Amino acid sequence: MSDAPTATTASPESTAPGKKPMSNLSQRILFAVIGAAILLFCVWYSVWTFALFFGLVQTRMLWEFYRMMREAGYKPAALLGGGISVLIFASFFFFSVEQGGPNSFDYVASSGWHTVIFPGYLLSAPIILLPILLILREMYAWPRKNQEINPFANVGINLLGLLYVSLPMSFLNVVSYGPAGYDYRRVLVLLLLVWSSDIGAYAAGKTFGKHKLAPKISPGKTWEGAIGGFLLTLGMGWALGYLLPELSVTYRLAVAGVVAVFGPLGDLAESMLKRSVGVKDSGRIMPGHGGLLDRFDAFLFILPVLALLQLVAG
């Protein structure tokens, strides 16, 4: 599947008098609503729909990363990397389920501890052997025609994609689990905080924005917008006590602070990546919204820090 634009010929229906094409804003709103509805349903319905949805999302995000690296002249092993990304996400998922409470996989399957823990070890074998597999691939293809890039650069790009995209997204399995097992409210809280950060930054930036935050990376971002996003995210963190009353206000504000600081940094990192390879969007999977890496770039910096915070706070 290619994200490259293809030439199209306007049909008579699309240019017929009296029929107005959908505006870009309307298109963005429509697909945003559809995407959000699918996301929220999968998060709410069960731990399995949650895992399936985000497992596919992180695999697509990695594919978009490898696509951009191909634009820069690298030749990553996209299929191998994508397969390993699924194993990484599945390993985190099974480990989190095994550590869960009454809703855990071992309880539902009622077939013992080994049923859950064994797949985790089994899935980790290809991950451990990945560097060897990637080097063997380069040895088989050496020398590549019309490529001056060192073969070990391709190996590094493959590993970088897994460390930059798949590993952070896999931490969502850790963040979504509470003492009683999978809790969809924890994912919903994270989504609301990220959306609050984006909305606050956009509104404050449009209204008060004068001082550029990182003009060489993202000229549209301002310090005023960053402050507005930070304040709205903290306010949302306080208000979410109604959704998760068992979490202390201190912990909720700490989580909100992590989202407010590391979310924009994740967005800037992806902007720098796109500028470095000369692309506008990471993909075209959502009309008017770019790729999934564009939509979930904030998660790549937020999730590792939240997982660490959850580990430290117990």
Side-chain angles (χ1 to χ4, degrees):
M1 181 178 181
S2 173
D3 286 330
T6 57
T8 58
T9 302
S11 65
E13 293 180 356
S14 64
T15 56
K19 287 190 176 182
K20 296 182 179 179
M22 181 181 292
S23 68
N24 186 54
L25 178 59
S26 300
Q27 188 181 62
R28 286 176 60 89
I29 293 175
L30 173 62
F31 281 94
V33 171
I34 294 174
I38 296 173
L39 166 60
L40 294 175
F41 173 79
C42 291
V43 167
W44 165 79
Y45 189 74
S46 75
V47 65
W48 301 104
T49 54
F50 155 80
L52 178 62
F53 178 85
F54 279 104
L56 293 174
V57 163
Q58 64 88 24
T59 304
R60 171 69 190 196
M61 290 169 65
L62 181 65
W63 188 92
E64 292 174 355
F65 173 81
Y66 286 152
R67 169 188 169 270
M68 288 191 285
M69 290 300 98
R70 286 196 295 269
E71 294 287 334
Y74 297 98
K75 296 188 181 298
L79 289 178
L80 178 58
I84 294 296
S85 74
V86 173
L87 295 181
I88 292 174
F89 192 89
S91 297
F92 273 78
F93 172 72
F94 280 113
F95 175 78
S96 298
V97 168
E98 188 273 330
Q99 296 294 325
N103 295 323
S104 65
F105 181 75
D106 58 339
Y107 176 83
V108 174
S110 67
S111 57
W113 175 79
H114 295 286
T115 303
V116 175
I117 200 66
F118 177 73
Y121 285 112
L122 182 63
L123 294 174
S124 65
I127 301 172
I128 296 171
L129 296 175
L130 178 61
I132 297 176
L133 296 175
L134 291 172
I135 294 173
L136 289 176
R137 171 183 178 263
E138 293 301 317
M139 291 171 62
Y140 175 78
W142 175 261
R144 292 180 182 272
K145 293 181 179 180
N146 303 321
Q147 185 190 14
E148 299 179 357
I149 293 177
N150 188 297
F152 280 87
N154 292 326
V155 175
I157 288 297
N158 262 102
L159 297 176
L160 175 61
L162 294 170
L163 291 174
Y164 172 56
V165 177
S166 299
L167 183 61
M169 289 300 293
S170 296
F171 281 121
L172 188 57
N173 290 294
V174 178
V175 173
S176 64
Y177 270 74
Y182 173 73
D183 189 343
Y184 77 91
R185 296 176 303 164
R186 289 175 172 255
V187 185
L188 180 58
V189 161
L190 174 60
L191 292 170
L192 291 174
L193 290 174
V194 172
W195 293 339
S196 296
S197 177
D198 290 341
I199 293 172
Y202 178 82
K206 282 290 186 181
T207 306
F208 307 108
K210 293 182 179 180
H211 302 86
K212 300 297 183 181
L213 178 63
K216 294 183 179 180
I217 298 177
S218 184
K221 287 183 171 53
T222 63
W223 281 103
E224 291 82 1
I227 294 172
F230 185 87
L231 293 177
L232 184 59
T233 308
L234 287 184
M236 179 62 72
W238 175 83
L240 287 173
Y242 294 99
L243 184 62
L244 278 173
E246 62 269 26
L247 296 182
S248 68
V249 65
T250 302
Y251 187 81
R252 296 198 311 273
L253 291 179
V255 170
V258 168
V259 172
V261 172
F262 288 92
L265 291 176
D267 183 61
L268 284 174
E270 202 240 349
S271 295
M272 182 175 66
L273 170 63
K274 290 188 293 186
R275 286 186 175 275
S276 69
V277 298
V279 300
K280 183 177 183 295
D281 296 315
S282 67
R284 297 178 183 274
I285 196 170
M286 292 181 63
H289 289 271
L292 291 183
L293 190 56
D294 296 321
R295 296 302 94 205
F296 290 95
D297 52 7
F299 282 58
L300 303 182
F301 275 38
I302 291 172
L303 289 172
V305 182
L306 284 185
L308 181 61
L309 177 64
Q310 187 166 309
L311 177 66
V312 172

